[in-house]
Amino acid sequence: MSYFLLKEPPRREHRLNACIASGGTLSDMKNRKMRCCVPDGERTFTQNNICLLLPALGMMNSIPNSVVLMHGAVGCGSSSHGGNVGVRAGNNHRWGVIKDGTWLSTALNESDVICGGEEKLEAAIREIDEHYKPMIIFVVAGCVPGIIGDDVDGVAQRIQSEVSANILPVHCEGFKTKIWATAYDAVYHAIGRVMLQDTSKNIALKKPEKPTVNLMNVSSMGRVDEVELERLLRALGLEVNIFPVFSKPEKMYAMTHADLSISTCPTHDDYLLKHLQEKYGIPFVLKHMPIGIGNTSEWLRNVAAFFQLENQVEKIIAEEEAELETALQEFKEFFRGKKVFVSAGEFRALATAILLAELGFEVVAVRSFHHDEFADSEYEKLSKITAKDFPLNIANCQPFEEANLIRRVKPDLFLGHMNGNSTAAKLGIATNVIYNVGLQFIGYQGAYQLARRLYRQLTNPGFNQNISKWVQLPYSEDWYQQDPFAHIKQSEGEV
């Protein structure tokens, strides 16, 4: 049975056996010796976590002509304030328009918890439809309606014929899953069940004259990275339909008319790509993330093989790699032997570590936010390109483990997300943002631009060194002497 027949997608703990707690080394993971935790008891101590609302809102707020309605407590969705800078920048980069995302909340209170919030939700949907006149209303179920049993899907179904907007229920009850990558499935689930089901809109579209591919982007790339991948795909004679972020609702229907769907991150995309194949017969490429030299080339080869363009793609790859190798010479000697620690989502962390090894760095630690089957090939690649074994941590944040590891491996450079570099910075380590939609990261040009940024950072690391003189982390010296993975449970239950 298709998951899309259900009201909400399954948890990734169940669908993919994903986990968020493990500690060991790269060779442990490669040889499958590292045993992951049981899903609901992964650590004897947990410092913090991320709710799946964060990445889900990043996707939904980017959709033009849409309104996001948070059904829950008033604090749920507040991350949209900070994330709005990405929405404004994305609109500006694509259409030259500075436009904010639009989100509201039903602000459920104590009375609503007791009596139910369905009436308030229905009234909010009607008001949004009348006042904003959007094409899409994302109705996002937070923890409160999930606990009290509000039927968000039932409300949407009951009043859909009475409003002009398409109502898309999105289930983001944070207490249901600890794998916040489930957020991608939740948004894709809503789009697939509502927007792509409109057969009248699908039939009205004409089949593109050129071979067309769906290029997936769930906000892990900015417009500069989209341009780089479009450049490479169009060199193969392909038309490109980018989906879902900043994809206009009326353009979503084109998804069902493509010849091939291409993932840019298997962690993000498998849920919808399998649905597009099952329902609409669209095959997909779900391998490699086009970060780094080797991965970008393999990614292109997989796409070209589907269209029988092997000779053409080899010529493109040879030219791109030769030009890039010449451009990187000035940096590689400088990077050689410098130690780097990488922390990010599973595929981005591993693909970036491979790129850094290609640039001459010594990878001394990697931390991924979760683990599932899609990264198996990346562990193999990373093991082949790195000469030494090193610690590998699976952790949904947990800065106390990160601080311990940093003190042990003593990196020259730390790459993490914008809100995840502070621990390394306070220890005096040079840091660089691993994900910023305004900076190029993807493809051949992305590899060069990242090398330039790291060169500038490492030649002038004084800022973080000065921070470390005046700021201390809250961990005792006793913690730094312990095993950084001391609080992780294994599947048998022992620590």
Side-chain angles (χ1 to χ4, degrees):
M1 183 181 73
S2 171
Y3 292 129
F4 282 76
L5 297 176
L6 306 173
K7 286 186 177 181
E8 58 184 287
R11 299 165 60 191
R12 287 204 174 193
E13 291 94 328
H14 296 160
R15 185 171 71 86
L16 298 174
N17 293 318
C19 77
I20 54 172
S22 218
T25 65
L26 176 63
S27 61
D28 290 336
M29 181 61 86
K30 177 190 171 188
N31 297 320
R32 306 296 184 273
K33 295 176 182 177
M34 187 163 71
R35 292 170 293 176
C36 290
C37 62
V38 288
D40 296 319
E42 78 283 355
R43 282 179 173 84
T44 57
F45 169 75
T46 295
Q47 192 173 13
N48 63 354
N49 197 353
I50 296 176
C51 176
L52 75 164
L53 268 176
L54 181 65
L57 288 168
M59 295 172 66
M60 291 182 290
N61 284 324
S62 74
I63 304 298
N65 199 11
S66 73
V67 172
V68 176
L69 174 59
M70 283 299 314
H71 185 46
V74 70
C76 292
S78 59
S79 63
S80 294
H81 293 303
N84 193 53
V85 64
V87 177
R88 291 169 63 89
N91 283 314
N92 185 36
H93 292 159
R94 289 163 177 80
W95 302 297
V97 176
I98 305 295
K99 189 178 184 303
D100 299 298
T102 305
W103 74 277
L104 300 93
S105 174
T106 54
L108 298 181
N109 54 32
E110 293 179 0
S111 177
D112 299 319
V113 171
I114 297 170
C115 301
E118 292 184 12
E119 289 186 10
K120 183 179 279 190
L121 174 61
E122 181 176 333
I125 293 173
R126 294 182 187 278
E127 185 175 345
I128 289 170
D129 187 63
E130 181 179 351
H131 181 76
Y132 292 96
K133 296 179 171 55
M135 191 169 180
I136 289 176
I137 300 175
F138 289 105
V139 178
V140 186
C143 289
V144 174
I147 293 170
I148 66 176
D150 277 0
D151 186 2
V152 173
D153 295 82
V155 172
Q157 186 176 8
R158 186 169 65 249
I159 68 171
Q160 177 62 84
S161 61
E162 302 173 29
V163 298
S164 299
N166 294 286
I167 305 173
L168 276 64
V170 181
H171 289 271
C172 287
E173 299 93 336
F175 67 89
K176 289 185 176 180
T177 178
K178 295 177 182 178
I179 310 295
W180 54 270
T182 302
Y184 310 125
D185 304 346
V187 178
Y188 279 148
H189 192 81
I191 292 174
R193 276 172 59 86
V194 179
M195 297 302 292
L196 301 186
Q197 291 283 10
D198 193 334
T199 54
S200 63
K201 297 285 181 63
N202 289 340
I203 294 171
L205 289 172
K206 293 182 179 180
K207 181 76 174 176
E209 293 182 6
K210 287 186 178 181
T212 301
V213 295
N214 294 322
L215 181 66
M216 312 304 290
N217 179 9
V218 297
S219 77
S220 62
M221 305 187 299
R223 180 56 188 158
V224 285
D225 285 328
E226 289 178 351
V227 170
E228 166 69 350
L229 295 186
E230 283 179 314
R231 177 182 73 86
L232 295 171
L233 293 171
R234 284 176 176 156
L236 291 171
L238 305 175
E239 286 297 316
V240 182
N241 176 38
I242 297 175
F243 178 88
V245 297
F246 298 100
S247 176
K248 294 181 179 180
E250 58 270 24
K251 290 280 189 179
M252 291 183 182
Y253 305 113
M255 289 285 292
T256 61
H257 289 259
D259 297 286
L260 179 71
S261 294
I262 310 172
S263 169
T264 55
C265 176
T267 294
H268 294 164
D269 302 325
D270 80 295
Y271 190 74
L272 183 66
L273 296 196
K274 290 174 181 176
H275 174 67
L276 289 173
Q277 183 180 56
E278 291 171 1
K279 187 171 179 63
Y280 303 103
I282 302 172
F284 59 83
V285 171
L286 188 71
K287 194 175 182 181
H288 311 298
M289 189 174 190
I291 289 177
I293 305 167
N295 267 332
T296 299
S297 297
E298 288 304 309
W299 184 84
L300 269 179
R301 286 189 179 102
N302 284 349
V303 176
F306 176 81
F307 294 101
Q308 298 180 333
L309 299 171
E310 289 88 348
N311 293 336
Q312 189 173 338
V313 78
E314 291 303 328
K315 181 180 178 181
I316 293 171
I317 289 172
E319 292 174 353
E320 294 285 342
E321 288 187 352
E323 184 178 358
L324 180 58
E325 183 63 29
T326 301
L328 290 174
Q329 284 305 313
E330 61 175 310
F331 303 122
K332 280 192 171 182
E333 192 58 38
F334 177 78
F335 294 153
R336 197 168 309 281
K338 286 186 169 55
K339 297 188 292 185
V340 62
F341 188 139
V342 184
S343 172
E346 180 182 45
F347 235 84
R348 181 172 286 260
L350 295 170
T352 301
I354 293 168
L355 166 57
L356 294 171
E358 290 174 330
L359 294 177
F361 286 95
E362 178 188 349
V363 180
V364 293
V366 170
R367 186 179 68 155
S368 300
F369 292 158
H370 82 280
H371 168 68
D372 59 38
E373 64 191 55
F374 296 112
D376 287 349
S377 61
E378 303 310 296
Y379 292 118
E380 297 286 345
K381 293 178 197 172
L382 188 54
S383 179
K384 288 178 181 179
I385 200 171
T386 54
K388 299 178 181 178
D389 202 11
F390 54 80
L392 195 148
N393 186 202
I394 308 298
N396 53 339
C397 297
Q398 313 305 339
F400 75 104
E401 291 178 358
E402 175 186 287
N404 188 315
L405 281 170
I406 291 174
R407 280 278 293 264
R408 288 170 181 268
V409 301
K410 297 179 173 58
D412 300 293
L413 176 68
F414 182 93
L415 273 76
H417 285 275
M418 286 183 287
N419 57 353
N421 281 342
S422 60
T423 299
K426 291 173 183 177
L427 290 171
I429 309 299
T431 57
N432 199 273
V433 176
I434 202 170
Y435 166 66
N436 185 320
V437 294
L439 301 176
Q440 201 163 22
F441 208 98
I442 299 288
Y444 300 112
Q445 292 186 6
Y448 174 72
Q449 292 299 334
L450 178 63
R452 290 184 62 197
R453 294 196 296 272
L454 298 184
Y455 178 81
R456 290 196 298 269
Q457 185 70 52
L458 288 169
T459 53
N460 186 19
F463 183 73
N464 288 2
Q465 292 173 355
N466 288 333
I467 287 177
S468 68
K469 297 176 183 177
W470 303 100
V471 179
Q472 290 187 344
L473 293 172
Y475 313 114
S476 67
E477 193 61 33
D478 179 63
W479 165 243
Y480 290 117
Q481 300 306 316
Q482 295 183 43
D483 184 334
F485 310 133
H487 289 281
I488 295 178
K489 290 183 178 180
Q490 296 177 343
S491 55
E492 290 80 3
E494 74 269 20
V495 177

